[in-house]
Amino acid sequence: YNWTTIKEYEDIKFSFYEGIAKISINRPEKHNAFRPQTVKELIDAMHYCREESAIEVIILTGEGGKAFCSGGDQSVRGHGGYIGEDHVPRLNVLDLQKMIRSIPKVVIAAVAGYAIGGGHVLHVVCDMTIAAENAKFGQTGPKVGSFDGGFGASYLARIVGQKKAREIWFLCEQYDAQEALQMGLVNKVVPLEKLEEATVAWCQKVQQMSPLSIRMLKSSFNAELDGQAGIQELAGNATLLYYLTDEAKEGFNSFLEKRKPDFSKFPKFP
Ligand code: 1HA
């Protein structure tokens, strides 16, 4: 694939090919652990993906073939969070999780090697996951003095069930690609050398679909789980669709023309 660079960053790669954006964590020497700078760049790229209409689907992955992401960089962990050059402790990956969840485009995680700790949660919040045969999944929080009680707990439990989610967090074991497939944690397993090809193929399938339909579905899946924030997303899409109707246009046109609105001519469905 002829990936062209969208924007240069320090810790990630961000490239484009035929409507597909690929965001790739590029710290292979640390198994793609993220520091605050990494997350800041991921957030920036995700924001770009939201705004750019030429981007239809998004792949989240890691460089090097040995790790998707090993979570927060433990070497910069300090008092109250992960500490960057500004000396401020942050847990900014939580903002990234919310962005992945609410962006109205499908995000597919392509996992080769380790998806561990906060890196595991990143694939969990993606819409779908394709795993290479060498993938290893797991949480480490209770071992290293952390936990993710947000999407990392409750959404994980929605995916694999309460018993399995508790096992994953309480025992901190690693699961291979086949085990992950069995528990519904990933959608598909492919040989490592086929990972990109298989992921792009799924992107292209999604690209054939009605974008509004996909957008409504993503926010519908979220709405059931995300409480008022989930309903807000789904309702926002309903407003978007309503704004496309002549009925809604009569509302603001009548206001601008300083006359009473006439909604009588619009169809009333059973
Ligand atoms: O829980 C949260 C959060 C919760 C709420 C809100 C925000 C959160 C943000 C983050 C997190 C977390 O991510 S907590 C969990 C943090 N991650 C981990 O505990 C995983 C640590 N890594 C490992 O357990 C292992 O490296 C591994 C199972 C993934 C792979 O083991 P392996 O194959 O034996 O490789 P290893 O030699 O350990 O790693 C290769 C190099 O990468 C090592 O560096 P070197 O000794 O060669 O200099 C290793 O230190 C480095 N590395 C790997 N993972 C990390 C790391 N360095 C820093 N941070 C890492 N996470």
Side-chain angles (χ1 to χ4, degrees):
Y1 307 99
N2 187 19
W3 297 101
T4 56
T5 300
I6 296 174
K7 193 171 165 185
E8 300 275 0
Y9 292 99
E10 219 176 311
D11 287 6
I12 70 170
K13 291 188 176 183
F14 186 31
S15 52
F16 180 83
Y17 167 74
E18 294 187 354
I20 306 168
K22 182 169 69 170
I23 302 174
S24 190
I25 304 174
N26 188 23
R27 306 183 79 215
E29 71 287 351
K30 293 206 167 205
H31 282 330
N32 295 322
F34 54 77
R35 54 178 182 158
Q37 175 70 20
T38 322
V39 175
K40 193 176 165 201
E41 293 175 5
L42 289 166
I43 287 172
D44 188 71
M46 202 53 74
H47 182 72
Y48 186 101
C49 288
R50 175 143 197 163
E51 296 292 321
E52 176 52 65
S53 62
I55 294 172
E56 294 160 347
V57 282
I58 299 141
I59 298 173
L60 183 63
T61 191
E63 290 297 304
K66 295 209 169 108
F68 171 75
C69 175
S70 62
D73 186 331
Q74 297 306 294
S75 67
V76 301
R77 203 174 136 188
H79 192 61
Y82 296 84
I83 298 175
E85 275 160 18
D86 59 2
H87 307 293
V88 178
R90 290 177 201 282
L91 298 172
N92 54 348
V93 76
L94 299 175
D95 298 321
L96 175 64
Q97 293 173 5
K98 283 198 282 188
M99 284 178 93
I100 294 172
R101 200 161 167 86
S102 64
I103 190 170
K105 303 176 187 187
V106 172
V107 184
I108 303 180
V111 176
Y114 293 109
I116 296 283
H120 186 256
V121 180
L122 281 182
H123 104 85
V124 164
V125 298
C126 288
D127 295 294
M128 298 187 285
T129 298
I130 303 184
E133 282 165 349
N134 73 341
K136 290 261 191 226
F137 300 88
Q139 299 297 155
T140 61
K143 257 204 307 208
V144 299
S146 183
F147 65 92
D148 183 338
F151 292 128
S154 58
Y155 188 47
L156 180 67
R158 290 292 185 135
I159 295 170
V160 300
Q162 282 282 338
K163 294 276 183 186
K164 205 71 200 178
R166 287 169 201 234
E167 174 192 314
I168 289 170
W169 276 101
F170 295 163
L171 304 187
C172 294
E173 287 183 355
Q174 288 177 9
Y175 303 86
D176 66 24
Q178 282 305 329
E179 290 171 307
L181 185 65
Q182 241 168 20
M183 64 174 114
L185 186 58
V186 305
N187 298 84
K188 190 183 174 81
V189 178
V190 298
L192 177 58
E193 64 277 11
K194 290 268 160 65
L195 180 61
E196 181 157 290
E197 188 184 324
T199 310
V200 167
W202 273 29
C203 287
Q204 288 169 336
K205 277 195 179 173
V206 173
Q207 285 174 288
Q208 307 297 308
M209 306 297 167
S210 156
L212 267 177
S213 184
I214 295 286
R215 181 185 179 112
M216 293 303 293
L217 277 167
K218 179 159 176 174
S219 61
S220 303
F221 282 118
N222 290 351
E224 190 213 339
L225 305 175
D226 291 357
Q228 289 194 33
I231 291 167
Q232 187 227 29
E233 261 176 44
L234 182 62
N237 285 334
T239 305
L240 186 164
L241 291 178
Y242 178 55
Y243 275 23
L244 299 174
T245 65
D246 291 335
E247 184 178 329
K249 287 172 187 166
E250 168 63 11
F252 75 81
N253 279 333
S254 64
F255 175 82
L256 294 175
E257 291 160 17
K258 298 189 187 304
R259 59 175 173 82
K260 268 191 153 175
D262 175 11
F263 292 116
S264 65
K265 56 182 176 264
F266 300 109
K268 288 160 191 73
F269 298 94

